[in-house]
Amino acid sequence: MTANNYSGLCIGVTGLNANDNPGPGVAVIRALKEGLGAGLRIIGLSYESLEPGIYMHDMVDKTYSIPYPTEGTAALFERLTYINDKEQLNFIIPNFDAELHNFIKLAPQLQQIGIRTFLPSIEQLMLRDKVNLYDFGQKNGFHVPTDHKLYAADDVQKATEELGFPVVVKGKFYEAYIAHNKEAVIKAFNQLAATWGYPVIAQQYIKGTEINIAALGDGDGNNNSIVPMRKLYITDKGKAWAGVTIEDAALIALADKFAKATNWRGGYELEIMRDADDKLFILEINPRFPAWIYLTAAAGQNQPLALVKMALGEKLNRFEEYQAGKLFIRHSWDQVVDIADFQRISALGEL
């Protein structure tokens, strides 16, 4: 397939969940369909039988279950080889933090069977890990809140003495809670440790305006696309349920500084807090597209489409403009399906 011929592409996409902590998969697919047209074939890759994207047949042509990340690379490669034999995948876009390590490790093997990816290296992935984020900020001149790694409930006392209240308590991969007393910290610690493992991160609370930046690094220290968004409505898990694109040179410069410091390859999201002194604190760096990624396409910079084109070897000029004032509002929708479909994906792993 040539770099400029995208007809008949078959792309696998993970992250088809759409609960109160939605995955990016459906938004990625929406952007790809808008950019690549009717000839595109989308293969859903799911972990759970109740991921709504499985049943969105206007978005996903066929879905296959894949093993949980904890089952390792061998099990994942075996399953992807089976899927590829049936579907002839050209490309896979993983959209969960926890699965990226396996996909990155498998990238050379996937390339050998004709499946391309466009992902950061393991080293890049670890640089921005929550456990390493503060040290990364200190080394590269970014403002990052002070944090403590919690491995046991006994660590809470020292962390709260230094960080004070309120304090943000974060899971290793997902979820964050603002705790206003020690008991709330311990409760969040126990819940997050049970769900995501250790360490749990206690992070200094920064008061200010929450901003997210979706960007696409080319792997050579540059960004192909940068779109900042200010959160307008936030869930109790800290997720944006509504947001608006904004124009701000300081935010663009911050994303460019990150790309230069890491040579990031692929999509990523910077979660920012702007305090009363206009200082930009990096709260998290997510190593994949955010759930609101369709907003980049709506604003004029279709990042999932650009990712696919870059992976296929096309040299793209950097997007220089996007529409500020584009607003997204997430909403709930009851996806009504036949129980036979649920039973089929649960029993056979295919739908």
Side-chain angles (χ1 to χ4, degrees):
M1 181 174 295
T2 62
N4 295 313
N5 179 16
Y6 305 113
S7 62
L9 274 178
C10 185
I11 300 177
V13 180
T14 72
L16 304 180
N17 65 314
N19 53 18
D20 59 344
N21 186 13
V26 173
V28 167
I29 294 167
R30 189 179 177 193
L32 291 176
K33 282 188 167 289
E34 185 171 292
L36 295 173
L40 173 66
R41 182 168 171 81
I42 293 291
I43 303 301
L45 304 172
S46 71
Y47 294 101
E48 299 281 354
S49 298
L50 287 174
E51 295 178 23
I54 297 171
Y55 308 99
M56 297 178 183
H57 300 307
D58 58 331
M59 302 287 284
V60 180
D61 294 285
K62 187 167 182 178
T63 299
Y64 294 84
S65 63
I66 58 175
Y68 287 108
T70 51
E71 295 186 39
T73 55
L76 178 60
F77 186 68
E78 180 181 358
R79 183 60 171 164
L80 293 177
T81 300
Y82 168 82
I83 296 168
N84 190 52
D85 288 343
K86 289 194 167 190
E87 303 293 345
Q88 288 76 57
L89 291 163
N90 302 110
F91 194 71
I92 291 179
I93 303 178
N95 291 298
F96 285 136
D97 298 27
E99 69 186 356
L100 284 178
H101 187 276
N102 286 346
F103 275 99
I104 293 168
K105 296 286 282 187
L106 286 178
Q109 291 173 260
L110 293 175
Q111 178 86 32
Q112 288 177 357
I113 62 173
I115 304 174
R116 301 190 188 212
T117 56
F118 199 79
L119 298 168
S121 66
I122 293 294
E123 292 73 24
Q124 290 168 331
L125 187 67
M126 295 309 296
L127 277 175
R128 41 64 40 204
D129 189 275
K130 292 178 186 178
V131 175
N132 303 319
L133 183 59
Y134 181 76
D135 292 337
F136 169 78
Q138 291 291 101
K139 181 179 178 180
N140 293 282
F142 294 100
H143 299 298
V144 176
T146 305
D147 65 28
H148 272 266
K149 285 76 179 177
L150 308 178
Y151 293 91
D154 291 345
D155 296 332
V156 170
Q157 182 66 35
K158 181 179 179 182
T160 54
E161 284 177 359
E162 181 173 328
L163 300 176
F165 292 106
V167 64
V168 184
V169 189
K170 297 184 172 185
K172 183 178 179 180
F173 293 113
Y174 300 105
E175 295 189 61
Y177 299 96
I178 298 174
H180 294 269
N181 53 57
K182 184 179 177 181
E183 290 71 25
V185 176
I186 293 174
K187 180 181 178 181
F189 166 78
N190 289 330
Q191 181 175 330
L192 293 170
T195 305
W196 303 113
Y198 298 97
V200 173
I201 313 298
Q203 189 180 68
Q204 174 191 6
Y205 176 79
I206 305 293
K207 186 177 180 180
T209 302
E210 292 195 45
I211 298 165
N212 289 16
I213 304 171
L216 177 59
D218 66 1
D220 294 318
N222 308 298
N223 285 307
N224 173 271
S225 169
I226 306 170
V227 178
M229 176 273 292
R230 179 166 58 86
K231 293 182 179 181
L232 297 180
Y233 186 88
I234 303 168
T235 70
D236 60 352
K237 292 185 178 179
K239 300 301 174 183
W241 214 251
V244 61
T245 55
I246 58 175
E247 191 172 352
D248 191 315
L251 299 173
I252 303 296
L254 183 68
D256 280 334
K257 182 178 178 181
F258 172 77
K260 186 175 182 180
T262 60
N263 291 323
W264 191 266
R265 187 173 190 265
Y268 65 94
E269 178 192 32
L270 300 179
E271 296 192 19
I272 307 298
M273 188 71 78
R274 170 175 266 145
D275 71 5
D277 297 322
D278 214 31
K279 189 180 293 185
L280 298 174
F281 283 86
I282 298 179
L283 306 181
E284 288 186 23
I285 302 170
N286 297 315
R288 37 73 192 167
F289 288 135
W292 58 274
I293 194 63
Y294 179 74
L295 186 62
T296 68
Q301 297 190 15
N302 191 328
Q303 291 185 8
L305 175 63
L307 178 82
V308 171
K309 289 184 175 182
M310 291 165 70
L312 294 176
E314 185 172 345
K315 299 297 182 184
L316 301 181
N317 293 325
R318 173 177 166 129
F319 288 103
E320 295 296 344
E321 295 182 354
Y322 60 89
Q323 289 182 273
K326 281 288 185 181
L327 172 71
F328 87 88
I329 305 171
R330 191 165 288 146
H331 64 94
S332 299
W333 179 268
D334 293 336
Q335 186 76 13
V336 180
V337 302
D338 197 301
I339 188 65
D341 286 347
F342 170 75
Q343 291 169 337
R344 192 173 295 113
I345 188 71
S346 299
L348 303 178
E350 299 181 25
L351 180 62

